[in-house]
Amino acid sequence: RKLVWTVLAVFVAAFDAYPSWNISIVHSYHKEYAWEQNLTSGLVDALPKNATLNHLYLDTKRLPKTQHAQAARKTLCQLETNRPDLIILCDDNAARYLGPRLKNRATPVVYVGLNRNPRDYGLFPADNMTGILERPLIKRSLHSMCRLVNPDDTKVLILFDSDSTSDAVLHEAFKGETCFRLGKVQVEIRQYELVTDWKNALLQAKSAGFDTVYIGLYHTLRTRSGEHVPDEEVIAWASAHATVPIFAFWDFAVGKGKTIGGHVLSGRDQGLAGGEMASEIMAGTPPSEIAPRSGKEGSYQFSLHELRRFGITLPRTIREQAVLLP
């Protein structure tokens, strides 16, 4: 009996030493978006199980840009009402709109999936902030994947939407360049707001001399009347109408009826890294003592169906490292 009471006393003391935290997680996008789902799964698995999580969604992939600031103001009011113990800002729009208003307050803040330099948003240095940087290895992926299609001089088209996240990715990766060479690879980058223009670029890729197309971000494309086009429809259409092999930079675009794959980043990896960093803060390390760092550099992922469809065989060195999907 004494032993039982001793164990119970130790358990209660341990529980009191690690009290439950109320954590508000602000997502830049909508709950159904595959990136958000994967990122959330990583956060949930990495954060302490006794933490109380409150998810808020800015929905900036579907809302017009003119409504983003209003959505951010509404979310800030919710944060001030909820008074969380820690705030996690997921992706660039949450960090850009809310970060400056939360800077140097008492509440610690962790940003996750940041494509732009945190200095550009005024988030570094800050006493109460640190976070995880998302750095797609675009140049590495281009170099290795294009050789699968054409080992000699290769011409590749990269398609993005006109979202601020796309702007941030391209700024960090290419510093504003839209046409350049990477060794034997000739690269051209195009951004579109309208889905018809984006589709036409893909349809005309082969006749324009491109050996392959990389599908970047396509989640804010709209019709001429301003209606948002669901990303699932866009990627399915691209797969059905591609005239050349299509690759990706993010895992949500890989699979049967999507792209072939490539060296891709995972939202789950970003979430795991962000949850681990938040746990460091909850254990007592001040955010100012934790330097911002990059998440996992990504991995090879391919669809076996799409590889067969385009007649591409992976080299053994890549196949042994790759996650192979249906």
Side-chain angles (χ1 to χ4, degrees):
R1 185 177 300 175
K2 289 183 178 179
L3 178 61
V4 171
W5 281 109
T6 301
V7 171
L8 286 174
V10 171
F11 176 80
V12 171
F15 186 82
D16 289 340
Y18 296 96
S20 175
W21 282 54
N22 291 316
I23 302 176
S24 286
I25 303 175
V26 182
H27 302 266
S28 290
Y29 314 127
H30 50 287
K31 185 177 181 179
E32 298 77 15
Y33 180 27
W35 173 264
E36 290 290 20
Q37 292 177 351
N38 293 337
L39 188 150
T40 299
S41 74
L43 282 172
V44 169
D45 285 350
L47 290 169
K49 300 307 177 187
N50 65 332
T52 300
L53 308 182
N54 179 37
H55 296 271
L56 305 170
Y57 296 88
L58 294 179
D59 201 10
T60 59
K61 289 291 186 189
R62 300 186 298 190
L63 288 176
K65 290 182 180 179
T66 53
Q67 297 180 27
H68 291 182
Q70 179 182 352
R73 286 193 294 270
K74 178 181 177 181
T75 301
L76 183 63
C77 288
Q78 291 176 290
L79 291 174
E80 291 175 343
T81 299
N82 296 341
R83 301 179 66 181
D85 301 308
L86 184 142
I87 298 171
I88 298 176
L89 302 177
C90 300
D91 298 299
D92 283 65
N93 282 339
R96 179 162 67 101
Y97 285 109
L98 296 173
R101 301 292 299 273
L102 301 172
K103 181 179 179 179
N104 292 331
R105 292 191 180 187
T107 305
V109 176
V110 174
Y111 44 82
V112 179
L114 203 66
N115 288 286
R116 196 92 182 200
N117 189 314
R119 292 181 185 274
D120 295 342
Y121 298 142
L123 308 185
F124 185 84
D127 292 339
N128 67 325
M129 286 187 181
T130 187
I132 304 298
L133 309 178
E134 179 188 341
R135 293 293 180 262
L137 297 182
I138 292 179
K139 292 182 179 180
R140 173 178 172 179
S141 184
L142 286 172
H143 185 265
S144 58
M145 293 302 99
C146 288
R147 294 178 63 186
L148 300 179
V149 179
N150 183 355
D152 299 315
D153 286 347
T154 307
K155 189 176 181 182
V156 57
L157 174 65
I158 303 178
L159 292 178
F160 273 85
D161 57 22
S162 60
D163 184 51
S164 57
T165 302
S166 296
D167 294 340
V169 171
L170 296 175
H171 173 80
E172 289 299 317
F174 303 117
K175 308 302 180 186
E177 290 186 276
T178 57
C179 293
F180 53 90
R181 290 194 70 89
L182 288 174
K184 293 184 177 182
V185 181
Q186 175 67 39
V187 181
E188 185 171 329
I189 301 171
R190 297 182 191 172
Q191 286 184 266
Y192 295 103
E193 181 177 354
L194 298 180
V195 69
T196 51
D197 295 337
W198 190 94
K199 288 180 176 181
N200 285 335
L202 183 60
L203 286 173
Q204 297 166 10
K206 188 172 183 178
S207 61
F210 292 103
D211 298 290
T212 186
V213 172
Y214 259 89
I215 305 296
L217 298 174
Y218 47 89
H219 303 80
T220 64
L221 293 168
R222 298 183 178 277
T223 64
R224 293 192 184 279
S225 62
E227 183 181 355
H228 174 261
V229 183
D231 54 275
E232 298 90 348
E233 292 183 18
V234 175
I235 195 64
W237 186 95
S239 177
H241 295 84
T243 57
V244 296
I246 53 176
F247 293 92
F249 298 120
W250 285 273
D251 64 348
F252 51 69
V254 182
K256 183 179 179 180
K258 297 181 180 181
T259 71
I260 295 169
H263 193 271
V264 296
L265 282 185
S266 163
R268 178 170 170 79
D269 289 338
Q270 287 286 311
L272 287 170
E276 290 166 1
M277 180 175 280
S279 297
E280 292 179 45
I281 294 170
M282 296 164 69
T285 304
S288 58
E289 295 182 10
I290 306 174
R293 56 182 183 248
S294 296
K296 185 178 177 181
E297 292 186 342
S299 60
Y300 286 113
Q301 292 189 28
F302 297 95
S303 164
L304 291 170
H305 175 86
E306 299 301 326
L307 285 169
R308 288 192 294 267
R309 174 187 167 196
F310 287 101
I312 295 175
T313 301
L314 295 176
R316 182 176 57 84
T317 53
I318 291 179
R319 188 181 182 92
E320 289 176 350
Q321 302 176 55
V323 175
L324 299 177
L325 307 175

